[in-house]
Amino acid sequence: CAQKLKSSLFIVGEIGENDYKYALFQGKTVEEVKTLVPEVVQAIKDAVTRVIDFGAVRVVVPGNFPVGCFPIYLTQFRTNDSAAYDQFHCLKCLNNLSFHHNELLQQAIQELKNEHPNVAIIYGDYYTAFMWILGHVRTLEFDNGSMQKACCGIGGDYDFNLTKMCGMSGVPVCENLDKRISWDGVHLTQKANKYMAMWLIRDIFPKLWC
């Protein structure tokens, strides 16, 4: 086991998004949900510590996505206040929550690095990778007009409805999956995941001490 662990890559996360989602969908404000972040980050730090204690020497710890760009959140927290959205039509307050989580997580990772100098502990920057995709939709040949619409979904501005989600009877699938970033309003399409992976590998690989 020790030999296998020395040549293995561990990915711990991404963790926290569901914790925040359940709180938000139960009516908590973003400020209330922010109070959960230190506890979530501590749980991630504890998990990474356990993995290292088992013998891991290369660990990637991903941060959270900019959830304010996802159809499920854009639908649930839709507002007529244009100032609530950024240049990509993402909800700024929700992206700020993700950004806050990622800041505290990176601080925790630095603490782990100080405690375990012989272990490669790398932050997986899902937030920046996803925003890079949004900034290059035309180059990557996504449909700019459907950038935040679900491929498999129905209803509203984002082809998403919590009561009639992908897989349910009568819910259609878009004709060209490769033109969409979001598969079902919650998860990414295969093409979007491919570009996420490409960006992350370029960012992470030089830091792995391979």
Side-chain angles (χ1 to χ4, degrees):
C1 277
Q3 286 303 115
K4 286 187 179 294
L5 290 174
K6 284 180 181 178
S7 61
S8 298
L9 174 64
F10 289 80
I11 301 181
V12 182
E14 110 274 6
I15 296 167
E17 189 173 318
N18 282 341
D19 299 274
Y20 308 139
K21 180 177 74 177
Y22 294 141
L24 288 165
F25 277 59
Q26 288 170 9
K28 301 290 186 184
T29 66
V30 170
E31 290 306 312
E32 287 176 311
V33 174
K34 273 187 177 180
T35 64
L36 301 174
V37 175
E39 187 176 353
V40 170
V41 169
Q42 185 61 50
I44 298 169
K45 187 179 178 184
D46 292 344
V48 174
T49 300
R50 289 192 67 192
V51 169
I52 293 169
D53 288 344
F54 282 127
V57 294
R58 292 183 186 88
V59 185
V60 174
V61 189
N64 279 355
F65 284 91
V67 295
C69 303
F70 283 44
I72 180 173
Y73 291 95
L74 286 164
T75 299
Q76 187 71 11
F77 301 101
R78 185 179 180 279
T79 174
N80 291 324
D81 180 10
S82 60
Y85 298 92
D86 66 12
Q87 71 270 31
F88 297 116
H89 195 73
C90 302
L91 285 162
K92 290 189 284 191
C93 65
L94 293 175
N95 280 0
N96 287 341
L97 173 62
S98 296
F99 194 84
H100 177 61
H101 167 95
N102 292 340
E103 277 194 320
L104 292 193
L105 180 61
Q106 289 176 80
Q107 291 173 22
I109 290 171
Q110 187 56 54
E111 292 167 5
L112 285 165
K113 286 181 175 181
N114 295 339
E115 295 164 11
H116 305 278
N118 297 320
V119 180
I121 310 168
I122 299 108
Y123 173 63
D125 195 351
Y126 283 19
Y127 190 106
T128 303
F130 187 83
M131 295 306 286
W132 176 82
I133 291 174
L134 291 189
H136 294 82
V137 286
R138 289 189 175 89
T139 308
L140 302 177
E141 298 184 344
F142 290 106
D143 178 19
N144 190 52
S146 304
M147 188 167 64
Q148 287 159 328
K149 291 185 177 183
C151 173
C152 180
I154 190 170
D157 294 334
Y158 309 101
D159 290 342
F160 181 85
N161 188 328
L162 268 176
T163 62
K164 203 164 187 181
M165 295 180 68
C166 181
M168 297 178 69
S169 177
V171 177
V173 176
C174 65
E175 289 185 6
N176 193 340
L177 176 61
D178 284 345
K179 292 292 183 182
R180 299 288 178 95
I181 293 172
S182 177
W183 162 241
D184 59 358
V186 182
H187 307 96
L188 304 186
T189 59
Q190 182 168 307
K191 181 179 174 183
N193 272 319
K194 180 184 79 170
Y195 284 119
M196 283 283 300
M198 288 170 61
W199 191 98
L200 288 162
I201 289 168
R202 281 198 301 268
D203 184 59
I204 290 168
F205 189 76
K207 306 169 188 175
L208 287 176
W209 302 348
C210 293

